[in-house]
Amino acid sequence: MPGITDYQSKPEQYHLLTERLNQIQLIKLMALQKAQQFQQKQEKTRLNKKALDTQVVNKVSMGSPDYQPDKPRLTRCETATRMAESRERAKKVSQENLSVATQRNKEEMQIRQLQLEKEREILQRTKTELIQDKANHFERKRNIRKSLEDEWSRSVELKHQREEEERLFLSEKWTWLKFIVRFHGE
């Protein structure tokens, strides 16, 4: 990003500074929106997991939808065994779903963390540039002030020197006039 030069007018400098401030505000707004999107996504994942768990529990408790009355009836022992197997399968499916969701969330959080780092670096770089521009601006003002002070000192010195030369010249002229008047008077 180019710095503010000595040749730019105050409105141009103000425009550049306000433009940079607007960029910073835009980056902050984008970061806030991304954080909100991330939270919404986490909430959606949580609700989906809860719904999936509810479906698995309901499916187990309702039994198989393929139930046909022609089939021989199971004994209590067989029913209990099948229910235990069904619960075990549901538990495994739930654990796998949880593992997949957890892994996906970790990956999304890592991606989000990288995005936040990039945005933080951009903000830091912009802040550094603004500070450097401000320092350059004050340095230029200081140099101009010093230059004006030096010029003023030289002008005062030259004025005193001219006044001294003029005083000496008038003094010499007066001495010559006195000499001429005395010489003619004799």
Side-chain angles (χ1 to χ4, degrees):
M1 200 177 279
I4 300 172
T5 65
D6 290 334
Y7 303 108
Q8 291 177 324
S9 66
K10 286 194 183 259
E12 289 172 326
Q13 292 173 358
Y14 177 76
H15 175 71
L16 285 173
L17 289 175
T18 55
E19 187 176 308
R20 287 190 184 154
L21 288 174
N22 287 339
Q23 288 174 354
I24 290 171
Q25 290 173 344
L26 181 61
I27 289 170
K28 286 181 180 178
L29 180 63
M30 287 172 44
L32 179 63
Q33 287 175 343
K34 286 183 181 182
Q36 289 173 342
Q37 288 173 350
F38 180 72
Q39 287 177 343
Q40 289 172 349
K41 196 169 192 176
Q42 281 185 322
E43 181 64 18
K44 184 178 178 184
T45 302
R46 187 186 66 76
L47 291 174
N48 286 342
K49 181 190 171 302
K50 185 177 178 182
L52 185 60
D53 289 343
T54 304
Q55 286 177 353
V56 170
V57 168
N58 288 341
K59 190 172 188 179
V60 169
S61 67
M62 289 176 37
S64 176
D66 301 335
Y67 180 75
Q68 298 175 0
D70 308 329
K71 290 185 178 179
R73 299 193 96 186
L74 300 174
T75 64
R76 284 186 182 178
C77 184
E78 290 173 334
T79 304
T81 304
R82 287 194 180 186
M83 289 291 281
E85 289 173 358
S86 180
R87 280 193 297 269
E88 189 62 33
R89 278 194 307 272
K91 184 177 176 182
K92 285 181 181 178
V93 168
S94 177
Q95 287 174 347
E96 287 177 18
N97 287 341
L98 180 61
S99 174
V100 168
T102 302
Q103 182 62 31
R104 190 175 298 140
N105 282 343
K106 283 181 184 178
E107 291 170 359
E108 288 174 356
M109 286 180 70
Q110 288 173 345
I111 290 170
R112 180 66 185 134
Q113 188 66 30
L114 289 173
Q115 289 174 339
L116 287 173
E117 275 300 315
K118 286 180 184 178
E119 290 171 2
R120 193 175 297 122
E121 288 173 12
I122 290 170
L123 285 172
Q124 185 61 40
R125 195 172 342 143
T126 304
K127 180 182 176 183
T128 303
E129 288 173 357
L130 283 172
I131 290 170
Q132 186 61 43
D133 284 346
K134 194 170 186 176
N136 290 342
H137 174 74
F138 285 117
E139 183 66 22
R140 280 191 301 278
K141 283 176 74 175
R142 188 186 65 78
N143 289 341
I144 289 170
R145 191 171 103 223
K146 173 119 175 70
S147 172
L148 289 172
E149 287 173 355
D150 291 347
E151 185 66 30
W152 183 79
S153 294
R154 280 192 297 274
S155 294
V156 167
E157 193 175 306
L158 285 173
K159 180 182 176 192
H160 288 307
Q161 187 178 358
R162 279 193 304 268
E163 287 175 351
E164 183 64 25
E165 288 173 357
E166 187 177 321
R167 191 184 58 75
L168 285 174
F169 176 74
L170 289 176
S171 174
E172 288 176 8
K173 190 174 179 182
W174 181 252
T175 304
W176 274 102
L177 280 174
K178 283 172 40 178
F179 176 73
I180 291 174
V181 168
R182 199 181 280 164
F183 183 71
H184 283 273
E186 294 179 2

